[in-house]
Amino acid sequence: MNHPSGVPSLRRRGGVAVPWLALAATAIGCASVSPERGHDQVAALVAQRTGHKTRWEKGPPDAEAIARWVRMLTAAGLTGDRVVEIALVNNPDLQSVYEELGVSQADMVQAGLLRNPSFGADLGFRVRSGENSELRLSLVQDFLDLFVLPQRKQIAQQQFEADTLRVADRALETATEAEKDFLAAQAAVELVAFRRTVVAASEGAFALAQRQFDAGNISELERATQQPTHEQAALDLARDEMSLLEARERINRRLGLWGETTSWAFADTLPPLPAVDPAVDQLEMFALQRRLDVAVARRQAALLAKAVELARSTRLLGRLEVGVDAHQDPNGPRVIGPNLVIELPLFDQRQAVIARLEAQKRQQERHLLAVSIDARSEVRVASARVRVSRQAVLRYRDGLLPLRQTVLQQTLLQYNGMLAGLYQLLAAKQGEADARRGYLESLRDYWSARADLARAVGGSLPEGGHHHEP
C-alpha cells in the first residue's frame, strides 16, 4: 500500500508460501514421540527368552504401582521366578537403561524433521529526506534436507532398532545375574542350617568331655582338645552366616529393595540336579543367531555402512538454500523472485567426514568379529562348566556324601559301644560336614553355570537335552 503522499512509505519485499513447503510437510509425516515405542519390542524379546514380563510395554510404569507390586511379591516370599520378575521391573540400573529408549526415540524423531525455514527482513530509511524507506523480506529453506531426509530417517530408524536390542540385552543380563544371586543365597541358607547342627553337635561333645573330665574318665589333654573343635565350628558358622547376609544384600541391590521389603523370606530351596542337561550340539551357531549383543553389533556395522554411502553420495552437495525474495527500490518497481544459495565445494568436500565414518565402519566390523568370537568362547566355557559341575555334584551326591554318612553312622555305633572315642566321632561328623558343604557348593555352581550357558546362547537354552540318569 502506498503512502498518502503518493510514494510508498514502506517499500517491502513480500515472502510467499511456496509449494515445496507442502511437500516438505508430507515428507516429514507425523513426527511424534510415543512412550511405548521400543518398550513393547524389548518386552517381547525378554518374554520370549525368559518367560517373564518387563512391565514396561506401555512405557514407564507408575512408581507407586510398582512399589505396591514389589511389596506384595516380597511379602509372599521370594522364589527364583519372582526374583527375575522383580529385577526386570525394579532394578535401578535397568530402569535407567530403559529410559535410553526415550532418548533414542527422540533422536529418531529429530532426524525425521526438516530444518526450519529462515525468514529475513531488511529495513532501510532514507537519511536526508526521511520520506522514502525500503523493506526487503526473504524466506529461504535448506533444500538439501529434502534430498537426504529419507536416508537420514532410515539410518535413525536402524539406530533406534539397535538401541532397542541393546536395552533388551541388558535386561537379559540383569535377569541372569539376579538368578545367580538367588541361587548363591539359597545354597548359603542350606549351608548355614547345616553348620548350626555341626555347632550344636560340637557343643554337646564339649559338654560331654567336660563331664567325663570331672568324673576322671578322660585326661586334661582330651578335654582341652574338644574346645578348639567347638570354637572352629562356631567360627565356620559365623563365616557362613556372613556370607548369607552378603548374598541377601546382593539380592536387595539387584531388586532395588529397601525398607520393609528387605525382610523377605525364601519361599523355595536350591533345586536338585536335573536329570537332563541342555543339548550342546550346534550351540555356537545357535548363540550367534540369538544373542542380542551380536545382533546389535551387526546392526551397527550395517548402519555405519549406510552412513558412509550417504556421505559419499552427497559429498559434492553443500548447503543448498532455496527461497523467495521480494524487493522494491525507492521509486522503483516492485520485484519478486526466487532466491538460491549454493555452497561451492571447493575446499571442503566432506573428505574428513567420510574418512571418519569409514574408520568407524571398520572399527565396528572388527567389534562385530570380536563379539562373535567372544560369544563362541563363552558358549564353550559355559558348556564345559555345566558338564564339569554336574560330574562334581554326582560325585558328592552318589559317592562322597553317602560314604561320609556311612562312616558317621558306623562311628556312632562304635562310640555307643565304647569301641570308638569321642575324637573319632567328631572327626566323622566333620567329614560329613565337609562333604555336605562341597555338595551344596557344587550344586550351586551347576545352576550358576547353567544360567551362564543360557545367557551365553541368547537368554534361554534350546529344548531337549542329554539324559545322564535313568
Side-chain angles (χ1 to χ4, degrees), residues 23-70:
L23 177 63
T26 304
I28 296 171
C30 183
S32 60
V33 177
S34 173
E36 68 271 14
R37 185 179 296 176
H39 290 291
D40 52 350
Q41 299 170 21
V42 171
L45 288 169
V46 173
Q48 180 187 22
R49 286 164 168 77
T50 67
H52 300 293
K53 295 182 178 179
T54 63
R55 300 183 187 274
W56 279 62
E57 295 90 337
K58 304 297 182 184
D62 179 70
E64 182 55 34
I66 290 180
R68 286 196 302 271
W69 178 75
V70 170

Side-chain angles (χ1 to χ4, degrees), residues 339-406:
N339 184 316
L340 178 64
V341 177
I342 299 178
E343 178 186 357
L344 298 179
L346 298 180
F347 308 107
D348 181 4
Q349 298 178 357
R350 301 191 176 191
Q351 56 268 37
V353 174
I354 293 173
R356 187 173 190 274
L357 286 173
E358 288 176 338
Q360 289 179 325
K361 173 177 171 290
R362 293 191 297 272
Q363 184 183 44
Q364 187 59 38
E365 289 171 345
R366 285 160 175 72
H367 176 66
L368 172 59
L369 178 62
V371 170
S372 301
I373 292 174
D374 289 349
R376 288 176 178 272
S377 175
E378 288 169 6
V379 169
R380 291 193 297 271
V381 171
S383 298
R385 284 187 57 214
V386 169
R387 184 175 61 255
V388 172
S389 58
R390 166 176 279 278
Q391 292 302 317
V393 173
L394 291 176
R395 284 183 178 275
Y396 274 110
R397 190 193 66 180
D398 301 337
L400 189 56
L401 189 55
L403 288 174
R404 290 295 188 187
Q405 290 172 340
T406 301

Side-chain angles (χ1 to χ4, degrees), residues 423-438:
Y423 305 139
Q424 292 174 285
L425 179 61
L426 290 176
K429 184 66 177 176
Q430 185 62 43
E432 187 207 20
D434 293 340
R436 182 168 292 277
R437 179 187 180 89

Side-chain angles (χ1 to χ4, degrees), residues 197-243:
T197 66
V198 174
V199 169
S202 65
E203 188 176 18
F206 177 67
L208 177 61
Q210 183 63 45
R211 289 195 298 271
Q212 290 177 330
F213 174 75
D214 294 340
N217 295 330
I218 61 175
S219 65
E220 173 64 20
L221 176 60
E222 292 172 317
R223 188 199 67 83
T225 304
Q226 299 309 311
Q227 189 167 3
T229 303
H230 173 60
E231 293 297 332
Q232 183 62 52
L235 287 173
D236 292 341
L237 173 61
R239 186 182 62 248
D240 289 339
E241 286 178 337
M242 189 64 208
S243 297

Side-chain angles (χ1 to χ4, degrees), residues 276-284 286 379 383 386 450 453 457 460-468:
V276 178
D277 268 346
V280 297
D281 299 334
Q282 306 297 325
L283 271 188
E284 292 183 32
F286 184 74
V379 169
S383 298
V386 169
R450 194 170 164 123
L453 181 58
V457 298
S460 61
L461 295 170
E463 296 182 356
H466 298 301
H467 291 262
H468 296 271

